[in-house]
Amino acid sequence: MTVHLKDLGRAVLETEYAVRGPIVARAQELEKQGREIIYCNIGNPQSLGQKPLTWNRQILALCEYPELMAAASGAFPVDVVETARAILAGTRHGLGAYSESRGVRFIREAVAEFILERDHMRVDPDAIFLTDGASKGVQTILRLLIAGPEDGIMIPIPQYPLYSATITLYEGRMVPYYLDEAQGWKLNRAMLEQSLAEAKAQGTRVKAICVINPGNPTGAVLDEDNIGMILDFAQAHGLSVLADEVYQENIYLAGDTFTSFAKVLHQKDLRDVSLFSFHSCSKGFLGECGVRGGYFEYRNVPEDVAAQILKLQSVSLCANLAGQVATYAMVRPPKPGMPSYATYAAERAAILDALKHRALLLAEGLNRIEGITCNVIAGAMYAFPSITLPPGRTDFDYAMALLEQTGICVVPGSGFGQAEGTAHFRTTILPPTEKIQQVVKDLAEFHRTYR
Amino acid sequence: MTVHLKDLGRAVLETEYAVRGPIVARAQELEKQGREIIYCNIGNPQSLGQKPLTWNRQILALCEYPELMAAASGAFPVDVVETARAILAGTRHGLGAYSESRGVRFIREAVAEFILERDHMRVDPDAIFLTDGASKGVQTILRLLIAGPEDGIMIPIPQYPLYSATITLYEGRMVPYYLDEAQGWKLNRAMLEQSLAEAKAQGTRVKAICVINPGNPTGAVLDEDNIGMILDFAQAHGLSVLADEVYQENIYLAGDTFTSFAKVLHQKDLRDVSLFSFHSCSKGFLGECGVRGGYFEYRNVPEDVAAQILKLQSVSLCANLAGQVATYAMVRPPKPGMPSYATYAAERAAILDALKHRALLLAEGLNRIEGITCNVIAGAMYAFPSITLPPGRTDFDYAMALLEQTGICVVPGSGFGQAEGTAHFRTTILPPTEKIQQVVKDLAEFHRTYR
């Protein structure tokens, strides 16, 4: 054979993505052998029984096959038909043609309106790019920023491994900063300064800081003060900011709200910090992971750099059009008074209420287990509890044994990074309520007896 | 601002993608000003009026919104309903969940059967990856193969600029080999040997050869002998082969057939040449560019390398599910006797007949213009005619002037590469027949007077 492992590059070989790593592979093996597996490893709501929103799917069906507007008009509410018509007119050629590299302008204008309503400020539709899920957007921006092997990107520990994997693939340096577990996983200026100083001392040119809010895997929701602190830090050191805001609809505590980095950037009138924000159709209450829809938007990016972003996106032609349409459906839900509103509101409430209930149930259940401690799950779709381990055992051993003994599939904390001397795992809050109860019960028994 | 052009890397800055470059940007400007533009720059059939196949779109609509099976059963033939049901069962969770990283196994099994019928040989469904269009597959395999800055990939000149752009982004070296314009753009062993020898003399570690068949932008269709020669060459020098076969259904000359690299590899029983083959929903008679569907399959790849491919794909989670479904619809068309067959066959024939007619019309028309010479367009969707230029003018000047004067948008040959001292442009054969006639007429007038 002409391709051999020994000829592959370090970048490829060292890339790791624990969310789909060896524990998941083993779970699939066990499942083939007939074992029941509870997949808590990945934020994939519809694989665990969550239903798609009728609004989204009716619009997608009509856009895929517009003849249905005549052939089955009775099957669709009039607002769905009108919306599908407007989208098809906006695409000009339907879902079968490549769009502009940035995505269909009509849809980007809708995204700009969504941001205007959310943050009370305008954004240029040409500073918005529709992407195949948020991951592709993050990859593009990291590709843009990493110019050489000394370039570093600050990432949280624990982090979502898309960041570590992509930085490794582009042969940059990861500059880890720790989230403060004792303070509900918030960011801490002293810890940011320390991380940056250490990186600089090693000759790293730090280019940007990535923040995930609400947090994956931590479940933390950052407040305006914490976001302002991060932006001040970025400004003080000339860093760009990547704000991963894919869980912005997943907020569970009474009184908490989502605040975007873009909003705080404008409130503070920081014109010298370049900001890239990411959103997705895969999370929130849509959970449309398979659609691969999403967008990124940027602020304070010079025109010549913006042209480079456009060029990078153009090599992949455009994001898939069904995903672009799903993004439209996400940012333009039916409004009160429209025929689809009642169903939409009921479906949304049922999903968010269930997630809220499971977040509470899971954190409480985990905290009742001796040797497991879990912060409040304020947002996103995960718990990242701290666990005590018997001597000589790693969190990987623990997660594998948990799988073998109980069928519960979680990801070891080492896949996300964790403070020296601590051990964790990540579990989603997505299984149905009765399964969450089973997870807590089986985990308690497993943890008590694990040696 | 914290991001500046001067801080970007060479890889990003040097990447070029002419298919969506400055000429297209100027065309869009002119269009906004009210000029009629004939877009001949990109293989985007549905943007030029080609209709999607009913089979595909009915299946996609039902998979997006399965409630239609009950609510609008009269709108769909029974074979469409059965197929959608089978696909949904195969995905297990519908289109809203991430699939396995390789793509839905049920669909990969259908792809394996398609290859079995086409080439009369088996392929392991786990050696097939469903991708967001062929481009994403090519990017993955090039990322795999390029291990360092001395690594080179042989690419045809002229080539499709996805290859040059991706190799530049991954900081490898392009090793150009010339296609033989005088011999209908076929590959020539002596020219391959020469190109390889020159690269080696410069210290390049040549890893692989890319071949596009049918050819983009050349329109050439390679026969079994030519493919066998290329595989022998690869074997002799320990090269892997990337076979871009996205135009395999676009064959226009009586007596010509498409022969896959995989088939010839097996016939010659070459077990030591690693082969990666790419296919797409975007071309052929489907023309579903916006869907971003496709696959790659590999042969003679060791298991440890295959595991690295799986890992790379897992970072992006999976290809979009609508694209995966479209791939199923592509490889499993209705068969004679099924209710959808007559419509499917009529739609397919109309599209392929029109393309064949336009290929002939365009090549003949171009050859009637003094100073323009065009090979027979045997396959794919493009002509790449050779043009004479007045002294001091480049093909870029020519294409820009053509656009300004006539509204015809083509891509200069320099975007694809061309032999020293020659000049070309690429035009698609996709505009409706009357527009093709207009292109030929306007081009003749333009070429006669261009100074």
Side-chain angles (χ1 to χ4, degrees), chain A residues 2 12 15 20 64 101 311, chain B residues 12 15 20 57 101 240 311:
Chain A
T2 52
V12 168
T15 294
R20 295 198 160 192
E64 290 288 5
S101 306
K311 186 183 71 177
Chain B
V12 168
T15 295
R20 296 199 159 191
R57 295 309 189 91
S101 306
S240 299
K311 185 184 70 177

Side-chain angles (χ1 to χ4, degrees), chain B residues 206-219:
Chain B
V206 183
K207 293 296 210 49
I209 177 168
C210 300
V211 186
I212 310 172
N213 177 47
N216 174 5
T218 64

Side-chain angles (χ1 to χ4, degrees), chain B residues 125-141:
Chain B
D126 280 348
I128 296 169
F129 280 70
L130 305 178
T131 54
D132 290 313
S135 301
K136 287 284 155 55
V138 169
Q139 289 167 357
T140 297
I141 300 307

Side-chain angles (χ1 to χ4, degrees), chain B residues 386-442:
Chain B
S386 167
I387 52 176
T388 54
L389 289 177
R393 296 303 175 95
T394 66
D395 54 359
F396 184 90
D397 302 333
Y398 181 95
M400 190 62 97
L402 177 68
L403 172 67
E404 298 280 354
Q405 193 170 317
T406 68
I408 300 170
C409 180
V410 301
V411 186
S414 47
F416 306 89
Q418 51 202 349
E420 186 79 25
T422 69
H424 300 75
F425 63 81
R426 186 187 83 165
T427 173
T428 72
I429 61 169
L430 296 173
T433 303
E434 68 278 12
K435 298 266 181 191
I436 291 276
Q437 285 161 332
Q438 191 190 324
V439 165
V440 170
K441 187 170 153 287
D442 291 354

Side-chain angles (χ1 to χ4, degrees), chain A residues 1-2 12-13 15 20 44 57-58 64-65 96 98-99 101 143 169 240 272 274 289-290 311 317 321, chain B residues 1-2 12-13 15 20 44 57-58 64-65 96 98-99 101 143 169 240 272 274 289-290 311 317 321:
Chain A
M1 310 200 194
T2 52
V12 168
L13 294 173
T15 294
R20 295 198 160 192
N44 194 7
R57 295 309 188 90
Q58 287 184 333
E64 290 288 5
Y65 188 49
Y98 297 126
S99 69
S101 306
R143 172 65 287 188
L169 258 182
S240 299
D272 47 357
S274 305
C289 297
K311 186 183 71 177
L317 297 159
L321 270 281
Chain B
M1 308 198 197
T2 51
V12 168
L13 294 172
T15 295
R20 296 199 159 191
N44 193 8
R57 295 309 189 91
Q58 287 183 332
E64 291 286 6
Y65 188 49
Y98 296 127
S99 70
S101 306
R143 173 64 286 188
L169 258 182
S240 299
D272 47 357
S274 305
C289 298
K311 185 184 70 177
L317 297 159
L321 269 283

Side-chain angles (χ1 to χ4, degrees), chain A residues 349-384:
Chain A
I351 293 167
L352 286 176
D353 288 351
L355 290 176
K356 191 170 166 177
H357 180 56
R358 291 170 200 166
L360 198 69
L361 206 67
L362 183 63
E364 283 183 0
L366 290 170
N367 279 319
R368 275 199 304 272
I369 302 171
E370 203 184 310
I372 299 189
T373 317
C374 185
N375 272 322
V376 170
I377 306 170
M381 295 180 169
Y382 313 97
F384 196 66

Side-chain angles (χ1 to χ4, degrees), chain B residues 190-445:
Chain B
M191 288 157 92
L192 292 179
E193 295 287 356
Q194 186 192 344
S195 153
L196 181 69
E198 282 173 15
K200 282 186 173 174
Q202 288 160 14
T204 302
R205 273 190 315 205
V206 183
K207 293 296 210 49
I209 177 168
C210 300
V211 186
I212 310 172
N213 177 47
N216 174 5
T218 64
V221 174
L222 303 183
D223 59 22
E224 210 174 300
D225 282 354
N226 210 237
I227 294 169
M229 178 280 286
I230 297 162
L231 289 170
D232 288 339
F233 168 77
Q235 185 188 39
H237 298 288
L239 305 180
S240 299
V241 176
L242 279 74
D244 179 337
E245 301 177 332
V246 301
Y247 297 99
Q248 59 189 266
E249 301 284 357
N250 298 105
I251 305 278
Y252 304 124
L253 301 188
D256 263 10
T257 50
F258 168 72
T259 307
S260 76
F261 272 74
K263 187 177 181 181
V264 181
L265 186 86
H266 276 255
Q267 283 171 349
K268 296 176 75 83
D269 200 24
L270 297 175
R271 297 187 193 181
D272 47 357
V273 176
S274 305
L275 171 67
F276 304 89
S277 306
F278 304 88
H279 196 15
S280 168
C281 300
S282 303
K283 311 300 174 188
F285 50 92
L286 275 73
E288 290 279 24
C289 298
V291 165
R292 314 310 297 117
Y295 71 82
F296 67 84
E297 58 125 340
Y298 55 74
R299 315 277 171 131
N300 299 335
V301 169
E303 271 194 32
D304 50 8
V305 174
Q308 297 292 321
I309 297 173
L310 179 59
K311 185 184 70 177
L312 285 183
Q313 284 302 95
S314 76
V315 179
S316 295
L317 297 159
C318 65
N320 85 86
L321 269 283
Q324 295 191 32
V325 171
T327 303
Y328 184 90
M330 173 175 78
V331 300
R332 292 293 287 266
K335 292 193 161 56
M338 286 167 62
S340 295
Y341 182 74
T343 301
Y344 175 85
E347 289 173 348
R348 181 183 58 182
I351 292 167
L352 287 175
D353 287 351
L355 290 176
K356 190 171 168 177
H357 180 56
R358 292 168 200 167
L360 198 69
L361 206 66
L362 183 64
E364 282 183 1
L366 290 170
N367 279 319
R368 277 199 305 272
I369 302 171
E370 202 184 312
I372 298 189
T373 318
C374 184
N375 273 322
V376 171
I377 306 170
M381 296 181 169
Y382 314 96
F384 196 66
S386 167
I387 52 176
T388 54
L389 289 177
R393 296 303 175 95
T394 66
D395 54 359
F396 184 90
D397 302 333
Y398 181 95
M400 190 62 97
L402 177 68
L403 172 67
E404 298 280 354
Q405 193 170 317
T406 68
I408 300 170
C409 180
V410 301
V411 186
S414 47
F416 306 89
Q418 51 202 349
E420 186 79 25
T422 69
H424 300 75
F425 63 81
R426 186 187 83 165
T427 173
T428 72
I429 61 169
L430 296 173
T433 303
E434 68 278 12
K435 298 266 181 191
I436 291 276
Q437 285 161 332
Q438 191 190 324
V439 165
V440 170
K441 187 170 153 287
D442 291 354
L443 192 62
E445 175 62 16

